[in-house]
Amino acid sequence: MPARVHAILVVRPDGRTPAAFHLRRTLAALDAQTRPVDALTIVLCGDDDNLRQLAADSRAEGVISAPRTTGYAEATMLATHRVQGDAVWLLAQDTAPEPDALARLAGALELAPSVAFAAPKLVRWDDRTEIVSLGVSMTTLGRAVGLADGELDQGQHDAGQDVLAADVRGLLVRTELWRALQGLDRGLSGADEGLDLGVRARLAGGRVTLVPAARVAVAGDGVAGLPDTYGSRRRLRRAFATRTAQLHRRLVYAPAAALPLQWLAILPIALWRTVMHLVAKRPGQIWPEWAAAAVAMVRIPTIARARARIRRTRSVSWQSLTPLRVGRADLRTNLALTDESDRLADVRRSELRFFSGGGAWAVLAALLVSIAAFPALLAWPVLGGGALAPLRDTVAQLWADAAYGRRQLGLETVGAADPFATVVAALGSLSPAAPSQALVVLWVLALPLAVLGGWFAATRVTDRSLLRITGGVAWALAPTFLTALVQPRPTAVIVHLVLPWLFFAASVAHRSWAAAGVASLLVAVVAACAPSIVPALLVLWLIAIVIAAVRGSGSSVGRVAWLVVPTAALFAPLVWQQLAAGNAWGLLADPGVTWNGPIAGADAAGRALLAAGFPTSDPGGWAQMLGGAPTWWVPLLMVLPAVLALLAPLTVRWAAGVVLLSVAALGIATAFAAVAISVAVTAAQPVPVWPGAALSLAWMGVLGAALITLDVVPSVSIARTLAATAVMLALAVCAVPALTAQARQATALVEGRASTLPAYVAAEGRGNGDVGTIVLTPLGDGSVSAEVVWGASETLGGQSTARDTRLEATPADDRTAALVADLMTDAAEDPVTPLAERGIGFVLLAPSASATEAAEALRRTAAIALDQRDRLESVGQETVRGSLWLVAGEVAPREGETESIAATARGIATVQLIVLTIALLLAIPTAQTRRDARRAPRIVGLRAGEGR
């Protein structure tokens, strides 16, 4: 047995538990040792009167004061010069050995002279049946692996064995070797210190042995070893220290020839690990990853000193450590055992029952109804009418419209793209051979997709199959959705299809990063299609942050906060452009084709219809279908779901009911405000904001609250079945005009054309976006509207709300007006040459916007003037698209983008791509996220003890 043992006890006044509490127990445990220590030196890091008094009252032969920031490795070296015995015992304030621990450790050193140090079994401070650490090894790539961390102590590891290394806490090290190795490596930042010491001891010819019978209780204060994971700051500190130590050891242990390559690979590996952290839903470890990489790259002198220490003491080859490393097979076995224990610990949620519960049959029935309601769509290649327009011909052109730069409309328009263009590009990319057909497929599948989304959203509210089907059917038959299909409005259709999935993901976004990643992308889609409901979404987001902060943790708040980041990245260029133009209200404009379709008025009657869920003055289309007969009874069909929703706060699930009714109130208030706001203009007419998107948000709240009320009805009652059936029947009655509109030819939805321009222009512009056409449209008051279209057609993704909502004419507008005036009058001698110089090769005189005498007179005058121009050659007269003239002779190419514009576009695209990539990586599910999901109930807001 060593003749003399000198204990070094490091104390620091930090940690969530007062250090004095842990220090008292540790000092008492030292006094109770059956084999007492021969000397004790306390290193007090920081100024604390209580700790100083405890140290003074102890049996320590010396107390060394050090700054609070002193690490454990440095603190032990400060006390090493006082060590005179045969062995050094490494302790900390939260390291309380059992009475026989030192005797057993010293006995191990006495029995085996080749043993460099002996390691105890570390157990939890308040539960000695759980092993904190018992031996440490590492993989071939240097990853530290605990051999028994977190296991229940059943004596399975009590047969002492040689290991590569052990946790630094409680180690009993021979003094001679301790001095030769120069103690712990300060470059490890407090992590893997025992592992590194064991590796160096092994290379020096020593052995490391475990003494499981010697138990030491540890609390995880972080003075020695890594801190526990309580609190976000400690998790960051732990992640930083772990990665810093791993990189430091990799550079120290690397062969000299491979050291430069290892150093150069630090940043690429950090980038790759960042992606893996996002996929694994560990975004909190990204900052520690890069911080550790930066520290490792600049610590060249520290690495050089560590390598020199190994060279001085090494007496055996590195290959001698190979048998003690953890191989891939062992690592997979450990991970499999961990996964199995996690599965056994899961609190499994109920089955989804999509097929057995009738959800699949409801979706199939909706598909049959859709085909019956819109049979002609199965043969249409392109949709037209309303706010629809064809898409670009290629995927590359689709994504070009989504980028900052030259816009498709306007003479010299350069600026930010609408975020909706990104949604259009993503949708069109699903059908790369014919992007416009993606809209046709969307319209055919709209009803079944709405049922599917509504059904899954209902799973967050109830586990009853009937109510889930009711939720799906009610969502698909919502009046605002059917109106958007018939009128037609693609942005409103997409919003209604996405909202239930947003509810499905966002309601559990505080639980996991996977749900937060999915919800953040869906928020961006909804905001891009309906900017008018962004204020309501922001209010709900702030409420969610407050709830997460009160009832959750910092991680929950971070997940909820992330929800708006992709949206902010997509909207930032457009917001900047509109604010710079002093047109903040323009941000509320509906994207896509500006169409002045029927909308409920802002008067009392219009607000009443909006409150009932109808976005137009014709409720559900019944007035048109009945030929002017009274339709006062149609809004009454919505009374039942409204009454059921209002009863939700009176049930045992009142909290969820209040939240959902708040969603409904925000949606209705937004719809009221929308119909009173006109920010866009088309054909010299103001266009109110479409209230249907806000009504979809309100309908989500009403429907969810109604399902909560029905969910708490006693199971023995038939009231639930009757009420649910009545809701579906009432909505089916409301839906009759919309579902029969195409058969009655009472819909604005028609078969579209591949181009909004004549076929000659479409052929010239296909694949060439620099072909310019100036389109002249006579208006009802005798004026003319002029628009310059670049490419083969005006497209859905090529629209610009910044252009449609501008408050005053731009210099490009003035130049366009001058060109039109010169073309249609005799004031200019050569009005065609300026067109050719600006890249405009065609002049299209479109049909009049309204069949008034003034418009027709202007059209005849314009046609005569254009026919008289020398360089204009008539290509087609009185076609469906209008009369077309070709600019003869040489036409200059369209002015290209300047280098500054291109650089701005690249910068914006890079930032947006990074943010969207992060969101996509977070949204990718993993095995761990699925296990975590199974541990939580599927229904949100139903706490234990809340009965039905």
Side-chain angles (χ1 to χ4, degrees), residues 215-561:
R215 290 184 174 86
V216 176
V218 294
D221 281 355
V223 178
L226 292 172
D228 61 18
T229 57
Y230 178 84
S232 58
R233 291 183 61 185
R234 286 189 165 220
R235 284 193 291 270
L236 288 175
R237 174 184 167 189
R238 185 184 180 99
F240 169 74
T242 300
R243 185 56 181 162
T244 301
Q246 185 176 358
L247 292 174
H248 179 79
R249 290 188 292 103
R250 182 174 297 174
L251 295 174
V252 171
Y253 301 164
L259 183 59
L261 294 178
Q262 292 278 15
W263 188 84
L264 292 173
I266 289 178
L267 292 181
I269 292 175
L271 179 60
W272 170 251
R273 285 174 60 88
T274 296
V275 175
M276 293 298 100
H277 287 318
L278 291 173
V279 173
K281 313 303 176 287
R282 298 188 300 263
Q285 295 191 19
I286 294 177
W287 169 249
E289 177 72 36
W290 286 96
V295 169
M297 294 192 72
V298 301
R299 278 187 175 176
I300 297 177
T302 303
I303 294 170
R305 287 193 295 268
R307 293 177 64 89
R309 282 196 297 269
I310 291 179
R311 284 197 303 270
R312 285 195 298 268
T313 59
R314 184 166 70 90
S315 61
V316 299
S317 66
W318 283 94
Q319 285 72 20
S320 62
L321 305 181
T322 302
L324 299 172
R325 292 177 182 261
V326 175
R328 291 185 178 179
D330 294 334
L331 187 60
R332 284 196 297 267
T333 301
N334 290 341
L335 293 176
L337 292 174
T338 302
D339 292 344
E340 182 64 25
S341 63
D342 288 343
R343 283 193 293 271
L344 293 176
D346 282 345
V347 180
R348 294 188 179 274
R349 57 172 61 177
S350 60
E351 295 295 330
L352 191 61
R353 303 195 311 275
F354 177 66
F355 291 95
S356 62
W361 294 108
V363 173
L364 180 60
L367 177 60
L368 297 178
V369 171
S370 178
I371 294 175
F374 305 105
L377 268 64
L378 300 178
W380 289 356
V382 182
L383 294 183
L388 287 168
L391 272 59
R392 289 281 201 175
D393 295 327
T394 65
V395 173
Q397 292 175 340
L398 286 172
W399 289 104
D401 283 340
Y404 181 92
R406 297 182 304 177
R407 308 267 44 95
Q408 187 193 21
L409 301 179
L411 184 62
E412 299 169 357
T413 305
V414 175
D418 290 335
F420 178 63
T422 303
V423 178
V424 173
L427 181 63
S429 298
L430 299 177
S431 177
S436 293
Q437 286 187 346
L439 283 177
V440 180
V441 176
L442 176 67
W443 241 255
V444 174
L445 298 181
L447 284 176
L449 287 177
V451 172
L452 181 66
W455 191 93
F456 270 93
T459 63
R460 297 298 188 199
V461 179
T462 178
D463 58 0
R464 304 185 190 278
S465 298
L466 173 62
L467 297 186
R468 290 178 176 179
I469 293 175
T470 302
V473 172
W475 186 255
L477 297 181
T480 181
F481 178 55
L482 296 178
T483 301
L485 286 175
V486 172
Q487 280 206 348
R489 296 180 181 271
T491 56
V493 170
I494 296 173
V495 166
H496 196 85
L497 293 178
V498 172
L499 271 178
W501 294 105
L502 175 58
F503 175 77
F504 181 80
S507 59
V508 294
H510 62 285
R511 296 179 183 174
S512 72
W513 277 106
V518 173
S520 67
L521 292 173
L522 296 178
V523 169
V525 173
V526 171
C529 296
S532 59
I533 66 173
V534 169
L537 295 179
L538 287 176
V539 172
L540 295 175
W541 174 69
L542 292 174
I543 294 174
I545 285 184
V546 172
I547 294 176
V550 173
R551 304 177 62 178
S553 61
S555 298
S556 298
V557 175
R559 296 185 189 108
V560 176

Side-chain angles (χ1 to χ4, degrees), residues 805-826:
T805 62
R806 58 194 186 277
L807 299 176
E808 57 186 17
T810 65
D813 292 332
D814 295 336
R815 285 189 287 272
T816 303
L819 290 175
V820 174
D822 291 343
L823 279 173
M824 300 180 65
T825 64
D826 296 330

Side-chain angles (χ1 to χ4, degrees), residues 406 893-898 901:
R406 297 182 304 177
R894 183 185 183 185
E895 184 178 354
E897 294 181 346
T898 64
I901 294 175

Side-chain angles (χ1 to χ4, degrees), residues 135-152:
V136 179
S137 184
M138 65 180 179
T139 64
T140 54
L141 296 178
R143 172 185 171 186
V145 179
L147 301 179
D149 294 4
E151 293 186 15
L152 184 65

Side-chain angles (χ1 to χ4, degrees), residues 828-882:
E829 296 182 359
D830 184 12
V832 180
T833 298
L835 294 179
E837 291 175 347
R838 288 172 171 81
I840 298 175
F842 297 93
V843 178
L844 175 65
L845 182 60
S848 303
S850 58
T852 63
E853 183 178 349
E856 292 301 323
L858 176 65
R859 192 175 191 282
R860 289 191 297 270
T861 301
I864 294 173
L866 293 174
D867 280 334
Q868 294 176 350
R869 301 306 177 191
D870 293 337
R871 291 187 59 187
L872 289 183
E873 298 179 0
S874 178
V875 178
Q877 294 292 333
E878 301 303 330
T879 64
V880 176
R881 299 298 185 191

